[in-house]
Amino acid sequence: ILITGAGGAFGTVLRATGIGNVIGHTMAQWHLGIFLPFIIAAVLKTAQGSSTVAIITTAALVSPLLNPMGLSAPLARVLVVLAIGAGAMTISHVNDSYFWVVAQFSDMDTGMALRCHSMATLWQGVVGILTIVVLKAILIR
């Protein structure tokens, strides 16, 4: 509950200061489309380790940008949610409690966990966003 609250508070702070809009509008001009929510979530997850905070913060940043990015239709919003989820699963490493759970229960040392688990979560996110891009190409014309 505290992690979720912290993520929501961080999203609110970003909205209140306006920095989220500045960053979001700047990135929206790069015309990344469905990749934008993925990239923001992946960067946040990698930087601070919490998928929950990455999801909530990314949703707060991306929400006002859906119309300008052409992603306001209901099905497009579903794909944005999936892209945020895929980004938030990307690159679990030493600042993520999930990393330590996997490493400890698998009897892996830190180096092995970084090579195996972190790389697996990187591929998990990449395959996720590629699947979403294919779905977007099929479902949204």
Side-chain angles (χ1 to χ4, degrees):
I1 293 173
L2 292 175
I3 290 172
T4 304
F10 186 50
T12 302
V13 168
L14 290 173
R15 278 190 199 160
T17 61
I19 191 69
N21 288 335
V22 171
I23 292 169
H25 287 293
T26 300
M27 292 182 89
Q29 292 174 359
W30 296 346
H31 305 290
L32 297 173
I34 199 76
F35 288 105
L36 179 64
F38 172 81
I39 291 168
I40 293 172
V43 167
L44 288 170
K45 162 66 175 193
T46 303
Q48 50 78 32
S50 170
S51 294
T52 305
V53 172
I55 289 168
I56 293 169
T57 305
T58 304
L61 288 172
V62 171
S63 179
L65 302 175
L66 293 180
N67 283 334
M69 292 188 334
L71 297 170
S72 60
L75 188 54
R77 289 177 183 260
V78 169
L79 294 175
V80 168
V81 169
L82 290 173
I84 291 170
M89 297 185 322
T90 305
I91 310 180
S92 172
H93 63 93
V94 296
N95 66 355
D96 183 3
S97 58
Y98 176 57
F99 172 87
W100 293 109
V101 169
V102 171
Q104 294 300 312
F105 282 116
S106 301
D107 289 326
M108 287 190 269
D109 62 36
T110 304
M112 178 64 76
L114 284 168
R115 285 189 302 276
C116 295
H117 176 70
S118 296
M119 290 308 295
T121 57
L122 171 64
W123 281 107
Q124 177 179 304
V126 169
V127 169
I129 191 61
L130 292 177
T131 302
I132 293 161
V133 168
V134 169
L135 286 172
K136 184 177 181 286
I138 293 169
L139 300 173
I140 299 176
R141 302 210 176 221

